[in-house]
Amino acid sequence: MVGASIEVQVTTGLWYVLGFAAAGVGFVFLTIGLAWLLSHRSKGDRHKGLPYESGIDTYGDTWGRFGLSFYIYALMFVAFDIEVIFIFLWALVFRDVVLGGFISMVMFVGILLLGLGYAWRKGVLSWR
Amino acid sequence: MSIITRPWSRMTLAGKIILPLLLLFVLLNILIVAGQMTGVLPVLVNGLFQVINDNVDIFRFIGAVTALLLFTVPAAFVIIFMEMKLIAFINLRLGPNRQGPWGVLSSTLHGFKVLAKEDFTPTGADVPVFTLAPVVTYLGAVMTIMVIPFAPGLFGLDMNLGLLYFFAVAGLGVIGLMMGGWSSFNKYSLLGGLRAAAAIISYEIPLTLAVVGVIMLTGTMSLNAIVLRQSGSFIDWFAFQQPLAFIIFFIAATAEGGRTPFDLTEADSEIVAGFATEYSGMRFGFFFFAEYVNLFILSALMVTLFLGGWNAPLDIQPLLDWLHITVNSAIDPGSLGIGLLWIILLVPPLAILAVTLPIWMIKSKWSFLKAFIVGFVIVNVIGGAILAVWAYITFPFVAGLFWFFGKAFTMVALFVIMRGTLPRVRIDELMGFAWKWLIPAALLNLFVTAGALLVLQAR
C-alpha cells in the first residue's frame, strides 16, 4: 500500500469501506435473524405493547415538543465540527505553511471563539 | 454403540453435538482418501492455491473483514467479564463465580442468553427505524476498527485519511442512538436519545481537537505512520509530548463511550435506561455490544495516538546485544532430518517423567496419576512460556500484539475502575464542562503546539 498511487489507494479504500459496511450489516441481520429463529414469541395482552414509563400508563403525545437547549447545542456543534475539519487539513500541511498559516488560523479560530464567547455571555452554554 | 441406536430426540446435548461431528469426520476422511486415489485432490488444491494467488487482494479483504468483525465478539465478552469482576472487587463482592473457573464463562453465557430472548417491538413504535437503530449504532462502533494498526503488518487498511475516517464513522453512532430514542414511543427513551446526542456531539469536538496536535507533530493522518513515529522507548510516545491533549482526549473519550461519570445517556436511576428502555432480545444486545466495542475502540485509539501503539515501552535489542544473544529467526526444521521425529516423540514424555518422578517420590501420599497430572501441567506451562518468549523475540507481530492488547486492556480497566469509584455528574455540569473548559483547553493546546513547532523550525 505504501508505494501505491493515490488513485489505487482511493479505490481500494472505497471498496474496503463499502465492503466492511455491507459485511457489518449482514452480520447484524444474520444474528438478529438467528435470534428470531431461536427465541420464543408470545402475543400477550394489550398491556404488553405499552411503553414502559416506570409502570404508569403513558400520557399525552410522546413525539411532541422538547427542550430548545438540544437544538442550540446541535447548532454550535455543526459550526465547530466544520471548523475542526478545516483545522485537520491545516495541521496536515502546517510544516509547509508556517507563519502565514499560523496567523490565518489564529484569525479563523478567533472569529469562532468570538461566537463561542457571545453564546457564553448570552447564557446558552448553561443547561436550562 | 448405544449412542447410535438411541433416537435423536432422546439424545443428550453432548451426543447431539458429537454424533454429527463424528459423521462429518468419517465422511471427510473417505472423501480425502478417494480424492488422493483418483488424483482429483492434488489438482483441486493446486487450483485453489492458483485462485488465491491470482486474487490475493480480494482474499486479503475477505480475510481482514471476517477477522475484524469476528474479533469484536470475544473482545466484548472479555471486557464485560472484566467489568463485572473488577467492579465486584471494588464493591467488596465476589462477582460472577459459578460459570466456569472464576466465572470466566459468565459473559459468554449472557451473550447466548440474549440470543435466545424474546425480541419484542412495542405497539406504538416506528418499526423500520426501531430495527435499524442498533444496526447503525453497531456499524458506527465496528467500522472504525478497520484503520487501527494492531501490530506491524496487521491492520485492516492503512488509510492515509485514517484519523478523519475514524471520527467520521464514529459520528454515525449518535444517529443510531437518536433513532432508537425517537422510534421507541417512550418519553424516557426520547429524552435519553436526545441527551445522548447532545452529550456525545458536545464531547466530539474536544475529542477531535485534541488529536490535531498529534497530526501537526507527524504531518500525517495515517495511524500506521503515527505509530511508527512513536517507536523507540516510552519517552517518544505522544502522551509525553502532548500531555494536555492526552488528558482532554481521555475525558472526552469517557463521555463518548457513555461511561461513568458521564453516563447520562442511560442513567438508569433517572431515565430508566435511556434510549434502550423499549429494546429487548438481540436488538438490545447489539446496543450493549456496540457500547463495549466502542469502549475497546476508544482505548485502542488512545493507545495508538498517545501511548505508542504496538511499540514496546523499552527496546529489548540492547539487552539482547548485552547478553550476546543473536536472534535466529530462520530455524529450519527440515535440517534436523529424522532427528526431528525423535525430538517430537521423545522430549515431551521424558520431560514429563523427569518432573513427575521426583514429585511422586517426595509426595509419598500422592498416587502416580496425581503426580503425573501435576507434572504434565508444570511441563506444559514451562514449555508454553519458552515458546512464548521465543515467539516474542522472533516475530515482531507477536510482540506488537502483546503490547497493543496489553495497553488497550489497561486503558479499558482504567475506565472500569473509574466507573466503580466516581459518582455521576449532573447534565448541566456535563455540558458546561465540554464547552467552557475542554474546547478552550484543546484550542490552547493546538496553538501552543503550533507555536512550539514554529520556534523549532525557525531555529
Side-chain angles (χ1 to χ4, degrees):
Chain A
M1 203 65 67
V2 178
S5 69
I6 291 292
E7 288 83 28
V8 171
Q9 272 202 19
V10 168
T11 330
T12 323
L14 201 63
W15 279 115
Y16 264 79
V17 173
L18 290 179
F20 204 108
V25 172
F27 175 65
V28 177
F29 276 116
L30 220 67
T31 318
I32 290 180
L34 185 66
W36 186 253
L37 289 178
L38 280 178
S39 61
H40 69 97
R41 286 181 294 282
S42 69
K43 204 135 173 75
D45 59 358
R46 192 181 62 84
H47 300 287
K48 189 172 179 181
L50 288 180
Y52 175 69
E53 292 173 357
S54 305
I56 303 164
D57 278 5
T58 187
Y59 176 77
D61 188 15
T62 301
W63 292 331
R65 303 176 181 180
F66 46 85
L68 187 66
S69 328
F70 296 107
Y71 170 70
I72 291 174
Y73 279 108
L75 209 61
M76 296 203 3
F77 165 73
V78 171
F80 270 87
D81 214 34
I82 291 173
E83 176 206 5
V84 166
I85 290 176
F86 282 123
I87 290 180
F88 260 52
L89 298 180
W90 167 78
L92 207 55
V93 294
F94 179 70
R95 282 155 195 273
D96 304 326
V97 295
V98 284
L99 198 60
F102 184 70
I103 292 168
S104 49
M105 187 44 71
V106 167
M107 284 162 65
F108 178 60
V109 173
I111 293 169
L112 268 155
L113 277 183
L114 276 181
L116 185 67
Y118 178 72
W120 198 333
R121 181 82 179 75
K122 280 278 180 184
V124 177
L125 298 186
S126 311
W127 186 270
R128 279 171 300 167
Chain B
M1 273 297 110
S2 69
I3 193 169
I4 294 174
T5 53
R6 194 180 286 184
W8 178 261
S9 57
R10 283 185 57 227
M11 231 183 266
T12 54
L13 187 65
K16 275 182 184 173
I17 295 169
I18 289 170
L19 189 63
L21 283 181
L22 205 71
L23 288 177
L24 206 70
F25 183 71
V26 170
L27 196 71
L28 210 65
N29 261 316
I30 292 171
L31 275 181
I32 286 175
V33 170
Q36 278 288 4
M37 283 168 78
T38 52
V40 179
L41 195 68
V43 178
L44 270 181
V45 170
N46 277 337
L48 192 67
F49 275 122
Q50 192 62 39
V51 169
I52 292 177
N53 248 335
D54 290 346
N55 306 296
V56 79
D57 283 340
I58 296 173
F59 278 93
R60 185 191 178 277
F61 167 72
I62 293 172
V65 168
T66 316
L68 288 177
L69 271 179
L70 291 186
F71 158 75
T72 56
V73 180
F77 284 156
V78 168
I79 294 174
I80 293 170
F81 172 71
M82 205 163 101
E83 172 153 43
M84 286 194 287
K85 208 68 182 172
L86 263 177
I87 290 205
F89 282 135
I90 292 170
N91 293 351
L92 299 180
R93 293 184 283 116
L94 279 176
N97 61 351
R98 295 287 151 156
Q99 305 92 338
W102 305 290
V104 284
L105 288 175
S106 57
S107 57
T108 318
L109 291 174
H110 280 178
F112 284 113
K113 180 196 72 181
V114 169
L115 200 65
K117 286 265 179 185
E118 180 176 6
D119 196 350
F120 180 68
T121 313
T123 316
D126 187 343
V127 179
V129 182
F130 191 75
T131 308
L132 276 176
V135 181
V136 173
T137 309
Y138 177 70
L139 268 192
V142 84
M143 273 178 76
T144 49
I145 209 170
M146 203 170 80
V147 288
I148 291 193
F150 289 93
L154 274 187
F155 46 80
L157 175 67
D158 183 14
M159 207 187 274
N160 52 3
L161 280 176
L163 216 44
L164 195 62
Y165 169 83
F166 187 98
F167 290 120
V169 174
L172 205 66
V174 188
I175 302 172
L177 300 189
M178 273 200 83
M179 280 162 72
W182 176 261
S183 62
S184 294
F185 199 68
N186 182 328
K187 293 192 186 64
Y188 288 113
S189 291
L190 181 63
L191 205 58
L194 287 169
R195 269 190 182 190
I200 289 177
I201 62 175
S202 294
Y203 278 88
E204 202 152 293
I205 294 167
L207 192 78
T208 37
L209 276 177
V211 304
V212 173
V214 174
I215 297 178
M216 262 194 271
L217 287 179
T218 53
T220 175
M221 282 199 276
S222 156
L223 290 171
N224 263 308
I226 289 175
V227 171
L228 283 177
R229 271 292 305 271
Q230 302 177 67
S231 57
S233 64
F234 66 91
I235 318 164
D236 296 312
W237 296 354
F238 286 137
F240 296 97
Q241 296 172 24
Q242 296 268 316
L244 183 60
F246 179 56
I247 293 166
I248 294 169
F249 192 92
F250 183 74
I251 295 171
T254 315
E256 277 283 300
R259 306 289 303 175
T260 320
F262 301 131
D263 66 337
L264 272 295
T265 55
E266 45 188 290
D268 42 358
S269 49
E270 295 169 23
I271 47 173
V272 194
F275 55 87
T277 307
E278 292 294 338
Y279 278 90
S280 56
M282 206 54 222
R283 281 181 284 186
F284 170 75
F286 268 104
F287 270 128
F288 199 67
F289 188 23
E291 195 184 315
Y292 284 95
V293 173
N294 216 352
L295 178 65
F296 176 76
I297 293 283
L298 284 167
S299 308
L301 185 69
M302 207 173 336
V303 166
T304 306
L305 289 177
F306 293 105
L307 295 175
W310 37 258
N311 288 308
L314 284 171
D315 197 4
I316 59 164
Q317 200 57 49
L319 182 74
L320 291 180
D321 291 343
W322 184 63
L323 289 173
H324 300 293
I325 297 174
T326 46
V327 177
N328 182 14
S329 57
I331 291 177
D332 183 16
S335 68
L336 292 167
I338 197 73
L340 181 70
L341 200 65
W342 287 115
I343 290 174
I344 291 175
L345 271 179
L346 288 182
V347 168
L350 285 181
I352 291 171
L353 275 183
V355 178
T356 304
L357 288 176
I359 294 177
W360 186 49
M361 281 186 257
I362 294 165
K363 294 269 182 185
S364 53
K365 281 181 182 171
W366 282 18
S367 67
F368 185 75
L369 186 67
K370 195 173 179 184
F372 184 79
I373 291 171
V374 171
F376 182 77
V377 169
I378 289 174
V379 167
N380 271 292
V381 166
I382 292 172
I386 291 171
L387 202 68
V389 170
W390 173 75
Y392 181 91
I393 294 174
T394 312
F395 300 114
F397 78 89
V398 174
L401 279 180
F402 174 76
W403 284 112
F404 180 82
F405 282 112
K407 289 174 195 172
F409 278 102
T410 310
M411 293 312 288
V412 171
L414 203 58
F415 281 123
V416 171
I417 291 169
M418 266 169 69
R419 176 173 169 189
T421 40
L422 294 177
R424 184 184 302 135
V425 300
R426 285 202 319 265
I427 183 131
D428 58 328
E429 293 169 339
L430 174 84
M431 304 300 283
F433 187 61
W435 290 95
K436 292 173 184 170
W437 290 97
L438 286 185
I439 291 179
L443 286 171
L444 179 75
N445 175 63
L446 170 77
F447 285 118
V448 168
T449 312
L453 273 180
L454 275 184
V455 171
L456 281 178
Q457 267 192 345
R459 268 202 308 161

